[in-house]
Amino acid sequence: MDLYFLGTGAGMPSKERNVTSIALRLYEERGTFWLFDCGEGTQHQILRSSLKLSKLEFIFITHLHGDHIYGLPGLLTSRSNQGGDTPVTLFGPPGLKEFLSSAFSVSQSHLAYELKVVEIAEGIVFADDQFEVRAAEVEHRIASLGFRVRESDRPGRLDEAKLRTLGVPAGPLYGRLKRGEDVALPDGRTLCGADFVGAPILGRTVVVMGDTRRCAAAVELSRGADVLVHEATFASELSEMAQLYYHTTAAGAAEVAVEAGVRALVLTHISSRYSTDGGQELLEEARGIFPRTELAFDHACFPIPTPE
């Protein structure tokens, strides 16, 4: 599992940063990737990456401002033209379905795969035996969501060395023991699976925040996350502007990370006014409050390690 940043700019694209889009790559976990927001030019960014549109499974839209959705019609139709045939599901605020329906109708676009658009509010928006995704509304000029992706805990590692010491040959019995089952051996012994399996491997939690002012909802959604991706549009010297336009400073994002007790913070949605130093001013500001901060840039990749 890792985060791949396709666009890290705010509002408009610049030479250094495209507008917002983030891929959560789940190749080992489920052979797919998920996309969070899809600003204009996202499909061009994908062409410059190792991502394949045929592997796209879900798209989560935080809000309906253009720099977060204008890339959707082109990306979805290109996926069809490139032979993508597996279903794609979009999750986002009310109005997303109308936006796409109008774009496809006017352009007479047709998709060769099933596209499902789910308009959502707060709460659990997706869950299966591997992942749960929860949405919460944060503070922006229009309805804006943050998403919390929680990986399910996995069974602990099987102590194969201990089994070999007991003379248990490798094979199907190992699988049953790993599942926690009791196994009767041909020699009459009975082995309890729990005696040979380590502690569960804790699942990882990633939070991707939509555009927002610093708010209590962002802190609560981020509580205890392994990685928090938070906007940092401005430096603290422009805190009044950030408040006026419903955005967050780098310091504000770091304060959310501290209060929520996250393991790592990644800053994105960087204003083009910081193009001279690439946003290092914002990184230094945030690290002064929360040292485990990284600054995203286009095509940066951040692995998400399994918790100890």
Side-chain angles (χ1 to χ4, degrees):
M1 179 193 295
D2 60 40
L3 288 162
Y4 188 99
F5 285 79
L6 294 160
T8 56
M12 297 183 296
S14 67
K15 292 180 179 179
E16 295 81 17
R17 298 177 182 274
N18 198 50
V19 286
T20 300
S21 186
I22 306 166
L24 178 62
R25 297 195 294 193
L26 301 168
Y27 290 158
E28 292 184 7
E29 292 76 13
R30 56 201 292 140
T32 65
F33 75 91
W34 299 354
L35 203 61
F36 291 83
D37 288 333
C38 187
E40 182 182 2
T42 294
Q43 66 170 312
H44 295 276
Q45 295 290 78
I46 288 177
L47 289 173
R48 299 182 180 95
S49 75
S50 62
L51 296 168
K52 304 296 182 186
L53 281 177
S54 60
K55 300 291 186 181
L56 177 61
E57 182 182 14
F58 296 150
I59 303 176
F60 298 90
I61 299 298
T62 63
H63 64 294
L64 301 185
H65 276 154
D67 59 318
H68 294 255
I69 64 170
Y70 283 168
L72 273 174
L75 181 143
L76 293 171
T77 52
S78 289
R79 184 180 190 269
S80 183
N81 294 334
Q82 293 170 11
D85 56 7
T86 55
V88 172
T89 303
L90 271 69
F91 301 89
L96 179 60
K97 188 177 297 185
E98 180 183 0
F99 168 73
L100 285 173
S101 177
S102 297
F104 289 149
S105 175
V106 170
S107 64
Q108 298 187 25
S109 299
H110 302 282
L111 304 182
Y113 57 89
E114 178 186 0
L115 177 66
K116 184 177 181 181
V117 181
V118 182
E119 296 187 337
I120 59 173
E122 294 187 302
I124 296 173
V125 299
F126 170 78
D128 63 8
D129 59 352
Q130 285 185 298
F131 290 94
E132 176 188 278
V133 182
R134 179 182 296 274
E137 187 164 347
V138 291
E139 293 185 9
H140 196 45
R141 290 185 292 130
I142 62 174
S144 183
L145 300 168
F147 292 100
R148 181 183 179 95
V149 180
R150 170 79 170 100
E151 181 185 30
S152 301
D153 295 344
R154 290 169 287 159
R157 294 179 175 85
L158 186 67
D159 191 341
E160 297 184 9
K162 184 177 180 180
L163 288 169
R164 288 194 295 269
T165 300
L166 294 174
V168 181
L173 292 181
Y174 279 29
R176 292 177 59 192
L177 289 167
K178 185 173 177 63
R179 291 192 295 272
E181 299 177 15
D182 292 347
V183 172
L185 301 179
D187 60 11
R189 291 179 294 166
T190 298
L191 302 181
C192 176
D195 295 336
F196 300 92
V197 179
I201 300 171
L202 298 179
R204 292 158 286 185
T205 299
V206 180
V207 174
V208 179
M209 203 62 63
D211 286 9
T212 181
R213 293 194 294 204
R214 185 188 169 192
C215 62
V219 173
E220 190 58 36
L221 186 68
S222 307
R223 188 81 63 188
D226 294 291
V227 178
L228 166 62
V229 179
H230 200 292
E231 71 132 280
T233 309
F234 303 114
S236 289
E237 62 189 22
L238 296 177
S239 58
E240 291 185 5
M241 181 180 292
Q243 183 73 7
L244 178 64
Y245 290 102
Y246 290 82
H247 286 297
T248 308
T249 64
E255 290 164 354
V256 170
V258 170
E259 191 172 348
V262 306
R263 293 181 65 197
L265 169 66
V266 182
L267 305 178
T268 189
H269 203 268
I270 309 302
S271 169
S272 59
R273 71 185 65 228
Y274 303 105
S275 61
T276 303
D277 69 349
Q280 289 302 306
E281 174 186 349
L282 302 178
L283 179 60
E284 292 171 8
E285 178 177 295
R287 281 183 172 173
I289 299 169
F290 187 79
R292 299 186 304 278
T293 301
E294 300 293 339
L295 178 68
F297 53 89
D298 289 15
H299 300 290
C301 180
F302 296 92
I304 304 169
T306 300
E308 296 180 1

